Amino acid sequence: MPLSDEDRAILDLECTTVVGHVLHGTILDGPVVDAAALRAQIAARLPAAPELRYRLDERGGAPVWVPDGELDLERHVVDAPDGPYDDEALRALVADRFAQHLDRTRPLWAIDVAPRAGGGTALLWRVHHALADGATMTRLSHTVLYDEGPVDDAGHPATGTAVSPPATVRADHARRRAHLTGVLRREFTVGPARSPFDGAISARRDVAFLDTDLAALHAAAKSAGATINDAFLAVLAGGLRRWLDHHAGAVTDLRVRVPVSLPRVDPSAGNRDSAFDLPLPVHVTDPLERLRDVHELTTCRKDAADAARLDDLLHRLAEVSPPLRRVVDRLRATARAFTVSVSDVPGPRSPVAVLGRRVHATWPLAEIGLHHALRVTAASMVDVLSFGVCVDPGLVPDVDVLAAGLRAEADLLVTACQTRPESR
């Protein structure tokens, strides 16, 4: 099966200092899980997840996916050494594993099973982004990891009908070709002359994770007429302000790139991703005002269907002038086009379990890029919204300061919405 243009572009981005995979850390409560038990479950469910058997090959000079008839799960699902892991040791393990390239001679995924100090298990699942985007990762988790049907708080099967994973994006299926002037103006606006996260990327990574109250954030956003994605971006803007203040940097609005997974005409055609860029109001100190500003910006971009129109434009450029498309791609990849890349992946809305262990949270991680040494990702699990932060520590030090700032801003936003006069 041939790779889509987007998937080939993801492969081309990989180099000695940049990897092409994402990581989902599935955090389990209860007794420790071992790799052998997890392998047995995945083996039984593999027929429903054919993507996990695909490996890269080449046909006529172009990369293609081919089934791997010799998939060895003992090489893909392993017990992490030297456990159990406290929080700091687990972070170090994640950073180490995340910086390692997946073996392109085998299917592009791996799971490290890491017991946690004090109980519980972390399943560190790396999957190459060319093989699976966020929506596909959610589906694969339901297929090979999660127990069938909903569970109660203890991880036992519950009555009722299982909730299907929500769609990552409810986008308009119409690929409109008109009114491209607006999207060109909005997408190709340049940001600050110098990004605080620009520089030569090394192979080192540092990571941080934090869990926040999704229900409280959702209620806060709703009370202000905004969405949970708006709240995520508003919290990010506040956290970035705190990090900049800590480093005595100039506080200025930073452009953020928000990816959008567009509907697929052919589900087997691979990723079909677009994005839009917008300025984060980092200079705004009031959390409610910042949320309203973000909501106004995102509403404008969504109402204009900019992600779909940009996708249409780029595909048309690739057809009529490949050299011009490459120039546009280079322009859109610069630090002046956007400062920080983010993503937000919705997860299950009702409790799920793995081998009878309740899933407490999903810790997400996505790779940084050339000229972009900071990446922030969010993922939900029932009523927990988890942030994952990935940095090159040589360019973005003190990742803990940023993580603490995100937590503080999430709390401030919830409190501000609860105490504003109209909410009483």
Side-chain angles (χ1 to χ4, degrees):
M1 181 174 67
L3 276 70
S4 69
D5 291 341
E6 288 85 354
D7 296 341
R8 293 179 63 174
I10 291 168
L11 288 176
D12 290 342
L13 285 174
E14 265 196 300
C15 60
T16 57
T17 57
V18 175
V19 300
H21 51 258
V22 297
L23 180 144
H24 281 213
T26 303
I27 310 303
L28 308 180
D29 296 330
V32 171
V33 171
D34 62 39
L38 189 62
R39 281 195 296 267
Q41 173 171 297
I42 293 175
R45 299 183 179 186
L46 265 180
E51 298 97 326
L52 298 183
R53 287 190 176 275
Y54 292 165
R55 64 172 176 82
L56 285 171
D57 203 345
E58 190 172 296
R59 298 286 189 274
V64 296
W65 295 117
V66 297
D68 188 341
E70 300 180 355
L71 175 66
D72 183 0
L73 286 179
E74 290 194 1
R75 301 182 69 179
H76 287 265
V77 183
V78 300
D79 287 305
D82 305 323
Y85 295 85
D86 61 20
D87 290 345
E88 287 303 309
L90 183 60
R91 277 181 49 187
L93 175 67
V94 172
D96 174 74
R97 292 295 189 269
F98 193 74
Q100 296 180 14
H101 288 73
L102 292 167
D103 185 349
R104 289 198 179 190
T105 66
R106 305 204 307 262
L108 294 175
W109 64 276
I111 298 177
D112 289 89
V113 181
R116 302 189 69 189
T121 312
L123 309 180
L124 310 180
W125 191 2
R126 289 175 291 153
V127 180
H128 203 286
H129 191 54
L131 184 66
D133 59 10
T136 304
M137 277 295 297
T138 299
R139 176 175 59 79
L140 289 175
S141 294
H142 277 266
T143 303
V144 302
L145 288 187
Y146 299 155
D147 296 341
E148 295 183 7
V151 299
D152 60 21
D153 288 344
H156 302 129
T159 59
T161 303
V163 177
S164 300
T168 303
V169 176
R170 291 181 173 86
D172 183 2
H173 283 252
R175 302 280 303 281
R176 291 172 289 182
R177 296 177 180 271
H179 308 299
L180 290 175
T181 303
V183 69
L184 285 170
R185 182 180 66 252
R186 291 186 288 269
E187 281 304 319
F188 294 98
T189 300
V190 297
R194 184 181 182 280
S195 161
F197 311 118
D198 188 9
I201 300 293
S202 75
R204 296 174 58 216
R205 297 293 180 266
D206 198 0
V207 302
F209 302 98
L210 65 140
D211 296 336
T212 61
D213 188 331
L214 174 60
L217 276 173
H218 189 273
K222 186 177 180 180
S223 71
T227 69
I228 187 62
N229 289 331
D230 296 332
F232 164 52
L233 293 175
V235 168
L236 174 62
L240 289 172
R241 178 186 179 85
R242 289 171 180 262
W243 186 89
L244 290 168
D245 281 342
H246 178 78
H247 287 275
V251 175
T252 182
D253 291 349
L254 306 176
R255 287 178 64 82
V256 63
R257 174 155 296 174
V258 182
V260 176
S261 294
L262 299 176
R264 305 181 189 187
V265 177
D266 177 4
S268 67
N271 295 329
R272 182 177 162 226
D273 296 334
S274 187
F276 58 74
D277 301 339
L278 72 164
L280 278 183
V282 175
H283 69 281
V284 178
T285 57
D286 180 81
L288 265 179
E289 181 183 351
R290 191 189 310 127
L291 176 61
R292 294 189 187 102
D293 288 351
V294 167
H295 177 63
E296 182 178 348
L297 289 166
T298 58
T299 299
C300 173
R301 304 310 299 276
K302 288 184 287 188
D303 287 350
D306 280 352
R309 290 176 178 173
L310 180 64
D311 174 72
D312 184 60
L313 171 63
L314 294 178
H315 277 83
R316 289 169 62 193
L317 281 178
E319 293 171 356
V320 302
S321 179
L324 180 56
R325 167 65 189 265
R326 289 191 290 271
V327 170
V328 171
D329 285 342
R330 286 197 296 270
L331 288 173
R332 296 193 71 239
T334 66
R336 295 197 67 184
F338 72 100
T339 317
V340 181
S341 182
V342 304
S343 53
D344 182 6
V345 180
R349 297 169 181 167
S350 60
V352 294
V354 176
L355 295 171
R357 282 75 164 175
R358 168 82 182 260
V359 180
H360 168 73
T362 300
W363 287 357
L365 210 63
E367 176 64 313
I368 59 177
L370 301 177
H371 307 293
H372 303 92
L374 167 67
R375 183 76 178 264
V376 182
T377 312
S380 62
M381 174 59 65
V382 192
D383 280 339
V384 176
L385 181 67
S386 300
F387 287 73
V389 183
C390 182
V391 302
D392 181 331
L395 296 172
V396 188
D398 302 322
V399 67
D400 287 331
V401 171
L402 178 55
L406 293 171
R407 184 183 301 280
E409 290 295 335
D411 292 342
L412 279 176
L413 180 59
V414 169
T415 300
C417 289
Q418 290 174 342
T419 57
R420 62 185 181 145
E422 56 265 42
S423 67
R424 295 174 183 173

